[in-house]
Amino acid sequence: MRGFWKSITDKYGYPKVFITLFLLILCILAVVQKQNLPGLIKDSLVRVGMNGILVLAMIPSINSGTGLNFGLSLGIVCGILAGCISIEMNLFGLKAFFTAILLSIPFSAAVGYAYGLLLNRVKGDEMTIGTYMGFSIVSLMCIGWLLLPFKSPEMIWAIGGRGLRTTIALADRFAKVTDKMMSFNILGEPVPTGTLLLFGAGCVLMWIFLKTKTGVAMMAAGDNPRFAAANGINVNRQRIVGTMLSMIIGGIGIIVYAQSFGFFQLYTGPLMMPFMAISAILIGGASARKASISNVVSGTILFFSLLAISLPVINKMMPEGNLSEVVRIIVTYGVILYALTKVGRDD
Amino acid sequence: MEENYVLKLKNVSKEYFGNKVLKEVNLNVKAGEIHALVGENGAGKSTLMNILFGMPVIHNTGGYTGEIIFEGKKAEIMTPNNALALGIGMVHQEFMLLPGFTITENIKLNREITKQNAISRILGDSLKSLDIEAMRKDSQAALKKLGMNIDDWVPIAGLPVGYMQFVEIAREIDKKNIKLLVFDEPTAVLAESEAEKLLDTMRNLSANGIAILFITHRLDEVLAVADSITIMRDGEQVSEMKRKDATLAKIAQIMVGRKIERVVHEARKYENNGEIVMSIRNLSVDMPGEIVKSIDMEIRKGEILGIGGLAGQGKIGIANGIMGLYKAYGEVYIGNTRLELNNPRKAIESGLAFVSEYRRGVGLLLDTSIEMNIVISSMQIQNRFLKGLFGLKMISLKDDRKIREWAMKMIKDLDIRCTGPDQLARRLSGGNQQKVCIARALTLEPEILFVSEPTRGIDIGAKKLVLDLLVKLNKELGMTIVMTSSELGELRSISDRIAIVYDGKLEGILAPTDSDVDFGLMMAGEYRSKEVV
């Protein structure tokens, strides 16, 4: 039994094993409590599709050697900005959705490039710098959202008429456009097919990228910078490529998230978003130095199903207070803490 | 007679994991004498000192056998504190000083003179205040003894290196009970005039009755100050002599001399008119610890050129500089074209390949498969092992099938022992990791292959395999090989010519069959002054 346990934890890592066990216990409780099981499955699928691309954004940053991208909020802010512009342009539906994505790419790329230059100057401290960079930019944008010259009455404060609202409803714009695409019912609950397909396509594209010459160079630069340099790979450039990609995917990720969620959350909304994505990929078995597509997929499914299922189950057990929120926080930060204690200890 | 000896080591042996690094060493140091301990790198000098100081590395690996007799009594030195209590002091090669502290604070560190104050009377001795005046007086005295005229209240940071060395010594002689002082290559970082001064100081100290154990590989210094000399080689004490019996040539020969097995092939008579594939002009390299200072050298087509010398003299810097891993200056020509320095990509594109001495740090992607380790350089620089995505040339993907085929061939050709081409490089043994590094270099199909310390950290059986492999490549493919190694025996067994580097400069080029004396003198930087002795 002990040997079995050890081989399991060695292979998958503690976070993945514990979270899986926890999820199983919650599922059993859900059955015991006679929860609406198809509903829970639907909630899980929605959350997986919603967050998957944000989690995917961690892949290039981890593999290019800049570690977990705690500064992902920068990309997220770019995505939100692009989304607001698409509304300002008075677009609707899929057109609005894809315009927002296309618009976000140049923003995120420029921000990612600048951020990459910064990270190249602070090698070894990327994750600390990234965290505070993210916090700073989110705070700075709190002023930005007030000052940006948006005019659309849907977005600006009703009273005073200046500055964007804290939450912008997308119900009339592109809320649920991909969730409803090719949607079909299982056990009476709709499946967000389009969003899941989008996540799948993102994974496939990333998988292909990691097999290209640039992808291989990027992974080598992340795995062992001195080796890469000795073999004629420009390590700083690869790190910038990784950072830019991560930001671009983050920007797209938040648009997909908002599409499913139905709202853009401005101001301090993006502040903690990177942490969810980070803990998901860590639960999937990634480390701060290495991550694969399978880490993304399994981590996203485990972490976000956990959140979807824990909410009703725990609230039924303890209706007073918001224990499920506490569980989410413990899992999110606990897993990050565990991963950070492992950094630089593998030799 | 017994009492005359401050320190006697009797039959001291030490094993690291079954590997005997010290074999029954005896060492006798009299009070007030300067005893020189000389030997190549890896001769066992440091291990001996670690034993003398009770360093944890000794006791964590099973301790040693034999006896240490200090002042006539058997001593059990289990920790550095034991050694200090006995009166053994050490002047380190790398300064053990706190840069932000003043000279006095460094000298008195952890031996501060304290006085009572109101709080310490209540809360105990650890809160006593420092008696700075008394500390400064002691420090001044110690510095004066060394002939140093310097304010003792300036911080260490910013002092010239020579001064730091003297502060180290001041700290040791400030310990009142000091009986034996070990100098570990103290002159390595000093300028000539400073070194002179240091030697004078050593003479002074020994005149005051302190025994000095002087570890060095500068043979002229040994002859200048030592009263007796112990020579070590391969963990054995091979000779002990008085200064009057010693000559430079004699020490050099004993230090290097060992049976050279020319196992591999007959020494080829290298021909002066052989085609030159690379000429190196005024090459200087800023590699920390292995600085190269303006070297000129020629590499001939189809030869195995050995580069030897003691650690820290710059031999490692040459290949690293040419390959662009460390900042280099000067000119390197491949044939008639000048190589752009400080650009690893250009170096590889120009037909050079490099197997680094730092295998796990620079040589391998430890968490990547063997096959990717083998092909990655070629893929990135020569665009091999790639294919288009669905025939699109724009996006080039790695060609898994071709990579696998090539890796299988390499694994078979070089006999890499692994579970398969997708095994992680980390899981291989040292010798097999080295073969993966060589396989990567071969995949580049280089004109000239630079190999640094190819046998470092791998076991004896694998060493021979690696050397045989290099010879095979040289013979069968006509590849020009430049091998840098700390092991002279290994260089002499396969090279056609051996360049010896001393103090960042080329000391000379020898044939492998030349005498031990010549090799010893060259490695000690005394070859040119041979006639004088």
Side-chain angles (χ1 to χ4, degrees), chain B residues 278-338:
Chain B
M278 175 182 276
S279 37
I280 299 165
R281 297 276 166 265
N282 278 322
L283 180 75
S284 301
V285 183
D286 277 346
M287 178 172 178
E290 291 279 350
I291 294 173
V292 180
K293 301 170 189 161
S294 184
I295 273 191
D296 289 284
M297 214 191 302
E298 250 105 44
I299 299 166
R300 288 168 208 284
K301 195 172 176 65
E303 73 172 344
I304 300 183
L305 174 67
I307 301 180
L310 293 169
Q313 300 298 340
K315 64 175 183 305
I316 305 262
I318 298 176
N320 276 292
I322 294 173
M323 293 306 293
L325 270 61
Y326 287 91
K327 192 100 188 117
Y329 314 89
E331 295 165 24
V332 173
Y333 294 93
I334 299 171
N336 291 319
T337 35
R338 185 167 169 184

Side-chain angles (χ1 to χ4, degrees), chain B residues 259-294:
Chain B
K259 272 186 295 176
I260 303 301
E261 291 167 42
R262 190 78 197 165
V263 277
V264 192
H265 62 81
E266 289 301 303
R268 280 177 296 201
K269 266 232 162 345
Y270 87 86
E271 299 183 359
N272 262 329
N273 52 6
E275 189 193 335
I276 290 169
V277 284
M278 175 182 276
S279 37
I280 299 165
R281 297 276 166 265
N282 278 322
L283 180 75
S284 301
V285 183
D286 277 346
M287 178 172 178
E290 291 279 350
I291 294 173
V292 180
K293 301 170 189 161
S294 184

Side-chain angles (χ1 to χ4, degrees), chain A residues 69-143:
Chain A
N69 191 356
F70 284 95
L72 190 65
S73 355
L74 272 70
I76 292 176
V77 166
C78 293
I80 296 176
L81 185 64
C84 291
I85 294 175
S86 86
I87 296 174
E88 186 74 16
M89 288 161 75
N90 205 17
L91 300 171
F92 295 92
L94 277 176
K95 200 170 167 197
F97 178 71
F98 285 111
T99 310
I101 285 180
L102 284 179
L103 276 173
S104 79
I105 292 174
F107 289 139
S108 310
V111 166
Y113 181 77
Y115 182 55
L117 290 179
L118 171 74
L119 289 186
N120 281 341
R121 288 164 180 262
V122 297
K123 283 182 191 160
D125 292 322
E126 292 92 346
M127 291 192 269
T128 320
I129 301 279
T131 309
Y132 289 97
M133 189 69 196
F135 287 172
S136 312
I137 293 295
V138 167
S139 304
L140 193 66
M141 277 308 286
C142 286
I143 304 174

Side-chain angles (χ1 to χ4, degrees), chain A residues 208-214 216-217 219-221 223-224 226-233 289-290 346-347, chain B residues 326 344-345 348 358 361-365 367-368 372 376-377 379-381 383 386 395-398 400 426 440:
Chain A
I208 290 175
F209 171 72
L210 292 180
K211 290 174 83 74
T212 61
K213 187 182 162 192
T214 312
V216 170
M219 298 223 287
D223 191 348
N224 184 348
R226 298 181 61 186
F227 173 94
N231 286 287
I233 294 170
R289 308 244 339 256
K290 225 157 176 80
D346 42 14
D347 272 327
Chain B
Y326 287 91
R345 174 170 282 265
I348 299 173
Y358 187 20
V362 179
L364 287 171
L365 291 170
D367 292 313
T368 304
M372 279 313 287
I376 189 164
S377 312
M379 177 193 292
Q380 291 298 326
I381 290 179
N383 287 325
L386 291 171
I395 302 166
S396 39
L397 293 183
K398 60 180 183 178
D400 289 322
R426 183 188 292 281
R440 182 182 56 252

